[in-house]
Amino acid sequence: MKKSDVLGYIVYEGPSDVDGAPIVVIVNKVDADSANAKTGGLVQTYIIRSDMPPHEALKTGHDASVCGNCKHRPLLAKESGEAPCYVLVFQSVLAVYDAYLRGRYVRLTPKQVARLLRGKRVRLGTYGDPGAAPRRVWSDLIEFADGHTGYSHLWEMWTHHATRKAWARLVMASVDNEAEYIKAHGLGFRTFRVATGWDKFASEVRCPASKEAGNKTTCAECLLCGGTTTQTHKNVVIIDHAAGHAKRVIPLLPVAA
């Protein structure tokens, strides 16, 4: 394969740590910045089922292999009324899957790709939960990176203290309410909380890349969401911006004089 034909790299093909189903971890377009205005120039990674198109996995519930117990999985959100995942699977994620089937990604070890990521900033799980793949994949992958971001709804799955501590260094615990926020902190995680209103806990800062914070920066520049490797005890909150968010978000009301 010519270098110009290589879109990225396969760093893991194997069983999901969630349910044992076949998944693949792809590092996409190492030398191209993301077109996402919020995230900025982060190298993107995808965790997807390797045996079926991502939109089919989503419709049938087989996306649990890569998203675990996330309540924002569309099939679950439809039943519960929770905010559905904002990722448009039938667009970018399906394009990555199709390229995977066409052989546009080269198989390398995470340590080999880590050298290609030297000095770059990486997003763990552009789609899919990083916790669906072995932790060593991610720790090896970002060994020489200039920083990373990562989020997981699987933080309750890691019951062993050493395992949980290692994951906490890599990812933020994704939480959706006060009870989850308190529990995650008790387990040693920093948190990224999606709020349906303007509430903010004392230990939280509004996502600097969010609309409500004035889009002050991008995720690539901020890197606040790097787990406990980030030298801060602050946690991050963002207002729900998923599809249909206007029906769920409590508007900011003027303060009475």
Side-chain angles (χ1 to χ4, degrees), residues 2 5 8 24-25 73 85 96 114 128 134 136 143 147 150 155 187-188 194 213-217 233 243 246 255:
K2 295 185 298 184
D5 292 332
V24 58
V25 176
R73 286 171 47 213
C85 180
V96 169
R136 180 55 62 186
E143 182 178 0
W155 49 273
L187 294 174
V194 177
N215 303 117
K216 296 174 185 175
T217 186
H233 295 295
V255 178

Side-chain angles (χ1 to χ4, degrees), residues 38-185:
K38 178 180 181 294
T39 61
L42 292 171
V43 176
Q44 309 292 315
T45 64
Y46 292 79
I47 307 107
I48 54 179
R49 287 283 298 241
S50 59
D51 60 340
M52 66 178 67
H55 61 294
E56 287 187 16
L58 183 151
K59 290 177 182 177
T60 59
H62 289 98
D63 57 338
S65 304
V66 296
C67 294
N69 60 355
C70 177
K71 64 183 68 176
H72 303 292
R73 286 171 47 213
L75 199 65
L76 299 182
K78 185 176 181 180
E79 298 174 355
S80 66
E82 292 283 349
C85 180
Y86 61 85
V87 179
L88 300 177
V89 172
F90 60 89
Q91 294 182 354
S92 62
V93 186
L94 180 57
V96 169
Y97 179 76
D98 287 343
Y100 167 67
L101 292 184
R102 297 197 309 272
R104 297 291 302 280
Y105 296 106
V106 174
R107 290 171 175 81
L108 292 179
T109 68
K111 281 188 173 292
Q112 288 174 317
V113 177
R115 299 188 180 281
L116 302 177
L117 295 176
R118 187 184 297 274
K120 296 181 181 293
R121 298 179 174 190
V122 186
R123 183 180 182 183
L124 310 187
T126 304
Y127 177 72
D129 193 303
R135 178 181 53 80
R136 180 55 62 186
V137 169
W138 305 112
S139 56
D140 285 351
L141 188 67
I142 63 172
E143 182 178 0
F144 305 115
D146 190 38
H148 75 279
T149 64
Y151 314 86
S152 179
H153 270 96
L154 293 171
W155 49 273
E156 291 182 275
M157 182 177 77
W158 302 309
T159 56
H160 189 277
H161 175 73
T163 300
R164 187 166 62 236
K165 185 176 180 180
W167 273 109
R169 288 182 54 79
L170 287 173
V171 299
M172 308 288 282
S174 288
V175 301
D176 297 286
N177 53 54
E178 184 176 4
E180 291 179 357
Y181 166 86
I182 293 171
K183 185 173 183 179
H185 280 283

